[in-house]
Amino acid sequence: MIGQRIQDVMNEQIKHETFSAYLYFSMAAFFHSKSLDGMAQWMKAQAQEEFAHALRFFNHINDRGGRIELQALEKPQTVWESPLAAFKAALQHEEFITSKINDLAKMADEENDRAAAIMLQWFVTEQVEEEANVSTVIDMLELIGDSGHGLLMADRELGTRVAGPILPPQEV
Ligand code: FEO
């Protein structure tokens, strides 16, 4: 049985992960509005992965006899100054998510909740990758600067991204 404290914060985390998907869908819509369909595709793939993250928390609470309580989502930002500004906002958001995962991992240790600690280990590793992926795009866009040609090349490159593996069948 899952403890109340961990359950409450994991319910909160379902909201954060779902909001991440919502934010990245909003960025995808922004990129489509600028005809940057490759960047939009990158964000849609990211959003899909965020739903899978939310589902991991959902399943963990449920599998341990806890109670899932979904929470209200805020309206995400809809416009950014530039593609670079949007990706910088994505990195800032991922840093926020990392801090939430680290808080949860610390709490699992304090509560001596081994099941939660093992499950959260996956997220600790995942967040390193998430931040690195966005940082790579930021570096690319900073190099490109004001070059329209460079931006179109980057858009083509980012459009090749496909969503990572969805949950293994036993976790869906
Ligand atoms: Fe699920 Fe990008 O953090």
Side-chain angles (χ1 to χ4, degrees), residues 17 20 24 46 49-50 53 94 97 123 126-127 130:
E17 300 291 349
S20 303
Y24 298 142
Q46 184 65 30
E49 290 191 10
E50 299 301 352
H53 294 172
E94 285 304 324
I97 296 293
F123 276 96
E126 174 71 3
Q127 281 310 118
E130 297 263 289

Side-chain angles (χ1 to χ4, degrees), residues 3-171:
Q4 187 69 44
R5 205 168 154 230
I6 294 279
Q7 175 183 294
D8 289 348
V9 183
M10 283 197 177
N11 268 312
E12 188 75 19
Q13 194 64 25
I14 292 175
K15 180 184 83 173
H16 294 318
E17 300 291 349
T18 308
F19 179 79
S20 303
Y22 218 39
L23 176 65
Y24 298 142
F25 271 142
S26 188
M27 289 180 177
F30 167 72
F31 287 129
H32 275 312
S33 77
K34 302 283 176 200
S35 296
L36 292 166
D37 295 337
M39 292 187 194
Q41 164 58 24
W42 195 97
M43 282 297 170
K44 284 193 266 191
Q46 184 65 30
Q48 212 170 309
E49 290 191 10
E50 299 301 352
F51 275 126
H53 294 172
L55 194 52
R56 277 181 188 259
F57 283 104
F58 183 105
N59 288 347
H60 187 83
I61 296 171
N62 189 50
D63 289 349
R64 297 181 65 201
R67 182 165 161 68
I68 296 151
E69 284 186 74
L70 300 183
Q71 299 171 20
L73 297 178
E74 299 139 41
K75 180 180 176 179
Q77 191 174 332
T78 53
V79 176
W80 289 266
E81 224 172 80
S82 63
L84 178 60
F87 277 97
K88 280 186 172 172
L91 178 59
Q92 202 176 13
H93 182 71
E94 285 304 324
E95 286 167 350
F96 165 74
I97 296 293
T98 299
S99 76
K100 291 291 170 192
I101 295 292
N102 289 344
D103 288 350
L104 251 172
K106 187 163 170 262
M107 187 183 293
D109 286 344
E110 284 164 7
E111 303 269 319
N112 200 22
D113 184 337
R114 304 318 303 153
I118 290 166
M119 180 262 193
L120 288 162
Q121 194 55 50
W122 182 89
F123 276 96
V124 171
T125 309
E126 174 71 3
Q127 281 310 118
V128 172
E129 196 187 313
E130 297 263 289
E131 287 190 24
N133 288 346
V134 188
S135 295
T136 301
V137 180
I138 290 172
D139 289 347
M140 187 196 292
L141 293 177
E142 278 178 340
L143 271 176
I144 287 168
D146 292 334
S147 158
H149 179 70
L151 197 60
L152 286 177
M153 296 285 283
D155 188 60
R156 199 167 303 166
E157 158 87 17
L158 294 174
T160 59
R161 177 176 180 184
V162 287
I166 49 169
L167 299 187
Q170 70 273 17
E171 288 186 41

